[in-house]
Amino acid sequence: VKVLCRLAAEAVLSSPVGVLPHRDIIGQLPGQMLRTSVGARLLVRRPSLDEYVLLMPRGPTIAYPKDISAVLTMTDIHPGDTVLETGSGSGAMSLFLSRAVGPEGRVLSYEIREDHHSLAKKNYRHWRSAWAIGHKDKWPDNVEFILKDISTAAADMKSVTLDAVVLDMLNPQCALPVVHPSLKQGGVCAVYLANITQVIDLLDRIRICKLPFLCERIIEVTHRSWSVLPA
């Protein structure tokens, strides 16, 4: 059982293994074991970024940390880079990109749906405020959330030079002609798609429209958890 909560003095943590008042948690150091109302033990600690994105409030389906890690590796994003993201969603990719580009970098996150746009901003804000409590350094405020259809943002792109592009949207082929002029020579565009049919459609569009992109590789990322118990 994993439960994510923001602590408040008068609140109570409810879980399948009993309840625990927040006042019993506040002031405790991460790594301590506390007992719920039914005697179950809970380990208290701050969530890692991958745990946070898996447990935070969601609207659309998120890009999972295993896939985000592959995207970051493929795009070779460095501190100080300027990266474009389309499809803010719930803000999972935005948070990982924010960490990758660092305080000197910049992330432009486009989203067409207002509810997703608002949720991504909220999740990003909550992570930054929680980070400030437990760390001396500040989490960078380097993500600009933009409520706009990327296919209509050609004018915006004229003043931007992009080190990398990450597309997480239903029809990424609509974004390619818009983002290409701003992507630096040799820059990488990574596209996150749910199934191989979408990949085929994307490749067909690139070929038919003669878009100046080369498909270097297509991968599927698998993740297997193990449970090791005494015989």
Side-chain angles (χ1 to χ4, degrees), residues 202-220:
L202 175 62
L203 295 179
D204 278 346
R205 183 65 175 270
I206 292 175
R207 176 179 56 84
I208 294 170
C209 297
K210 298 181 179 180
L211 297 174
F213 285 93
L214 169 67
C215 180
E216 293 191 36
R217 55 178 168 154
I218 302 167
I219 65 170
E220 177 182 2

Side-chain angles (χ1 to χ4, degrees), residues 60-64 67-68 71 84-94 97 108-113 116 150 165-173 175-176 179 189-195 198 202:
T61 302
I62 64 166
Y64 284 85
D67 300 312
I68 295 175
V71 168
L84 173 75
E85 172 197 19
T86 65
S88 305
S90 299
M93 184 75 75
S94 309
L97 290 174
L108 304 175
S109 182
Y110 279 78
E111 174 59 56
I112 193 172
R113 288 186 48 166
H116 294 176
I150 187 62
V165 172
V166 179
L167 306 180
D168 181 7
M169 54 190 292
L170 288 177
N171 297 299
Q173 52 268 34
L176 292 179
V179 301
C189 175
V191 185
Y192 180 67
L193 295 169
N195 57 66
Q198 291 174 292
L202 175 62

Side-chain angles (χ1 to χ4, degrees), residues 177-200:
V178 176
V179 301
H180 172 261
S182 297
L183 184 60
K184 72 178 185 181
Q185 183 72 25
V188 177
C189 175
V191 185
Y192 180 67
L193 295 169
N195 57 66
I196 194 63
T197 304
Q198 291 174 292
V199 174
I200 294 170

